[in-house]
């Protein structure tokens, strides 16, 4: 069976955004004519499992990147100040070949793919993004993971001159994240360098950001400058902020609520008829692929 996240699915296979919009407008029209009862079942066209990508506009103007401010529009407004070339990623800790890996060299060595993934923010909104990138496992193998490494720590650039948000002490900077090694090596885990076949915009984490589709969006750390292999669980930014509210694992789970709001449903960004709440899927819809990673774990305790 072809896996739905493998290379053979591209943005062209999904309903083109324009056709999708037309369909929505048509249905909105039917509803306006009092044919709501006929149009209503069509809502099933956009269930939580729908993989119709959001528009470029939506993906690049509604962002969380606190280094540029906390308003959803701040990253698009201010991130063009960010210098992304030259760029290198330091890979260190328990690796055979530690060092600063130049971004261009990484791009030369990696196999690029398109992956259409759901993105579910802990704030209970979601999108579908057609990423371009490569499997993180390939990059870690380039550096050579040593026996005994159990976790991977990630760090975002910390450059106050170009990141106005760093003036606010909301989080402890730089932004840091972490994964268990088996999560990092999972084929669903990618480093994204593009969206819709174009270079990833700064506000989405240029030139290279992590994407872990079965976890809340804050695990998908942007503009990565350091990757460290370690034998101890690394600190993570939102867990430092409130360990009660944000666990290390942060797997999308409709049955484990945030202490201040329900995670059972989500609002799909994109407006119109389908912006209504829809059910959140276990592991954000990737249960078949990743549930085995957590066999025997109490997912409420390890949230
Ligand atoms: N990475 C850094 N460095 N800083 C951030 O504030 N926000 C996270 C994550 N990565 C964030 C980050 C959150 S909360 C989400 S939901 C996603 O990025 C949003 O990614 P997007 O803006 O590409 O949709």
């Amino acid at each position: 069976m072809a896996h739905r996240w493998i290379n053979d699915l591209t943005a062209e296979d999904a309903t083109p955004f324009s056709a999708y919009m037309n369909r929505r407008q048509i249905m909105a029209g039917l509803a306006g004519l009092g044919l709501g009862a006929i149009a209503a079942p069509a809502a099933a066209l956009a269930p939580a499992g729908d993989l119709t990508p959001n528009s470029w506009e939506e993906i690049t103007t509604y962002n969380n990147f606190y280094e540029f401010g906390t308003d959803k529009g701040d990253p698009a407004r201010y991130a063009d100040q960010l210098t992304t070339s030259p760029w290198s990623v330091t890979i260190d800790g328990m690796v055979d070949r530690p060092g600063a890996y130049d971004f261009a060299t990484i791009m030369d060595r990696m196999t690029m793919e398109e992956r259409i993934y759901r993105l579910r923010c802990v704030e209970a909104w979601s999108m579908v993004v057609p990423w371009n990138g490569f499997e993180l496992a390939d990059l870690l193998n380039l550096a050579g993971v040593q026996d005994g490494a159990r976790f991977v720590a990630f760090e975002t650039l910390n450059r106050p001159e170009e990141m106005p948000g760093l003036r606010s002490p909301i989080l402890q900077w730089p932004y840091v994240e972490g994964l268990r090694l088996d999560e990092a090596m999972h084929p669903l885990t990618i480093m994204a360098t593009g969206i819709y076949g174009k270079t990833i915009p700064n506000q989405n984490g240029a030139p290279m950001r992590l994407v872990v589709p079965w976890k809340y969006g804050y695990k998908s750390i942007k503009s990565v400058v350091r990757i460290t292999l370690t034998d101890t669980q690394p600190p993570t930014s939102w867990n430092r902020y409130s360990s009660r509210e944000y666990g290390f694992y942060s797997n999308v789970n409709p049955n484990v609520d945030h202490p201040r709001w329900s995670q059972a449903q989500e609002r799909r960004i994109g407006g119109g008829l389908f912006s209504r709440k829809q059910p959140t899927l276990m592991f954000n819809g990737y249960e078949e692929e990743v549930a085995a990673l957590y066999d025997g774990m109490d997912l409420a305790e390890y949230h």
Side-chain angles (χ1 to χ4, degrees):
M1 189 193 83
H3 285 280
R4 57 188 182 276
W5 44 270
I6 277 194
N7 232 354
D8 54 4
L9 180 70
T10 71
E12 277 96 64
D13 295 319
T15 309
F17 187 73
S18 55
Y20 179 67
M21 284 305 288
N22 286 338
R23 199 166 68 197
R24 298 199 320 186
Q25 279 151 11
I26 289 163
M27 288 189 320
L30 287 176
L33 291 169
L35 299 174
I38 295 169
L45 286 169
D50 180 41
L51 275 171
T52 306
N54 278 82
S55 69
W56 172 265
E57 175 78 10
E58 287 156 1
I59 295 167
T60 62
T61 61
Y62 188 92
N63 300 100
N64 277 334
F65 198 168
Y66 278 20
E67 286 86 336
F68 296 98
T70 55
D71 189 88
K72 291 288 180 282
D74 284 342
R77 220 170 281 133
Y78 302 119
D80 58 345
Q81 304 169 37
L82 181 67
T83 309
T84 58
S85 177
W87 192 277
S88 67
V89 181
T90 298
I91 309 183
D92 60 6
M94 301 174 77
V95 289
D96 294 332
R97 292 172 289 281
Y101 288 74
D102 182 56
F103 179 68
T105 312
I106 294 174
M107 291 298 275
D108 272 357
R109 299 288 297 271
M110 297 292 111
T111 306
M112 300 302 293
E113 297 183 34
E114 178 171 57
R115 297 282 181 92
I116 300 172
Y117 283 162
R118 279 179 281 278
L119 173 78
R120 168 60 156 82
C121 182
V122 74
E123 297 163 336
W125 54 264
S126 66
M127 292 197 199
V128 175
V129 184
W131 303 106
N132 309 95
F134 54 85
E135 290 185 10
L136 176 62
D138 290 344
L139 181 59
L140 298 181
N141 288 335
L142 190 66
V145 178
Q146 292 180 344
D147 289 348
R150 290 179 53 228
F151 293 93
V152 188
F154 302 86
E155 197 177 300
T156 293
L157 180 75
N158 187 6
R159 193 183 287 155
E161 321 84 85
E162 295 181 355
M163 295 173 142
L166 297 186
R167 277 182 238 130
S168 324
I170 320 158
L171 294 174
Q172 200 179 308
W173 310 110
Y175 194 100
V176 291
E177 257 305 336
L179 295 173
R180 235 170 43 190
L181 182 61
D182 57 347
E183 297 174 324
M185 297 300 268
H186 193 282
L188 277 179
T189 304
I190 61 165
M191 296 297 291
T193 58
I195 295 173
Y196 272 114
K198 298 187 196 136
T199 301
I200 193 169
N202 290 356
Q203 58 267 37
N204 293 88
M208 200 170 103
R209 60 89 61 87
L210 183 68
V211 178
V212 194
W214 70 93
K215 292 177 180 285
Y216 290 118
Y218 62 86
K219 298 294 286 184
S220 293
I221 181 172
K222 296 180 170 181
S223 305
V224 172
V225 290
R226 181 182 291 268
I227 300 176
T228 307
L229 279 288
T230 156
D231 56 3
T232 44
Q233 185 174 300
T236 64
S237 283
W238 283 101
N239 182 255
R240 268 180 182 157
Y241 173 88
S242 171
S243 58
R244 199 174 69 89
E245 299 186 7
Y246 309 99
F248 175 79
Y249 283 92
S250 307
N251 293 315
V252 174
N253 189 335
N255 310 314
V256 177
D257 288 339
H258 186 280
R260 289 183 282 129
W261 60 85
S262 165
Q263 294 292 24
Q265 293 189 313
E266 63 199 54
R267 180 175 58 93
R268 170 77 186 269
I269 300 300
L273 204 55
F274 299 133
S275 68
R276 286 177 304 198
K277 296 247 166 156
Q278 48 181 270
T280 288
L281 302 175
M282 188 65 201
F283 293 112
N284 201 26
Y286 303 96
E287 183 171 15
E288 197 185 304
E289 290 90 347
V290 303
L293 294 173
Y294 310 103
D295 272 351
M297 279 174 68
D298 177 346
L299 296 177
E301 186 186 346
Y302 296 97
H303 64 93

